[in-house]
Amino acid sequence: QVQLVESGGGLVQAGGSLRLSCAASRRTVSTYAMGWFRQAPGKEREFVAAVSWNGASTSYADSVRGRFTISRDNAKNTVTLQMNSLKPEDTAVYYCAADPKVMPTTRRSVGYWGQGTQVTVSS
């Protein structure tokens, strides 16, 4: 069983930055593709960003491309989401995701989820 623990959420003003981290419980996750999803109140969980197991390939939702950057450190079993130029519409619970086979760009492609961390962007 893989456990994913997110950290780094909080309250920030529009235009500000936050850095989310996800720590994995097992070293084998270094061979998994990982990503981030988010869910705003009353909305479905949506894809934000994903990174391949070796960091060579990344994917972003159109709504965050150019503002968010996903990266990973396999030596530390962590994946990071750097969020810049935040907007109120980025407010959501952010979930770390992992899958041993495919890039987690859809909910169906996610094998493991974290518990989530709240990000609130005030206007």
Side-chain angles (χ1 to χ4, degrees):
Q1 186 71 15
V2 174
Q3 290 185 329
L4 305 173
V5 179
E6 302 94 337
S7 61
L11 173 64
V12 64
Q13 289 188 333
S17 299
L18 277 177
R19 186 180 181 90
L20 304 183
S21 292
C22 172
S25 61
R26 293 176 56 183
R27 182 164 294 278
T28 52
V29 173
S30 65
T31 64
Y32 290 17
M34 298 187 73
W36 291 90
F37 285 67
R38 67 187 182 186
Q39 187 166 16
K43 295 187 177 181
E44 294 188 346
R45 193 172 298 188
E46 65 176 7
F47 168 72
V48 174
V51 60
S52 61
W53 72 272
N54 60 358
S57 179
T58 57
S59 180
Y60 295 93
D62 289 343
S63 59
V64 307
R65 187 175 290 111
R67 300 187 297 122
F68 292 9
T69 302
I70 189 170
S71 60
R72 66 186 299 160
D73 185 340
N74 285 342
K76 297 181 179 179
N77 292 342
T78 59
V79 62
T80 299
L81 185 69
Q82 177 66 44
M83 305 186 294
N84 298 329
S85 302
L86 282 162
K87 305 175 181 179
E89 51 263 45
D90 294 319
T91 295
V93 177
Y94 282 70
Y95 296 90
C96 182
D99 193 86
K101 296 182 179 180
V102 299
M103 291 268 279
T105 57
T106 66
R107 286 176 291 169
R108 292 184 178 181
S109 63
V110 176
Y112 302 95
W113 292 101
Q115 293 299 308
T117 185
Q118 177 70 46
V119 170
T120 302
V121 184
S122 63
S123 57

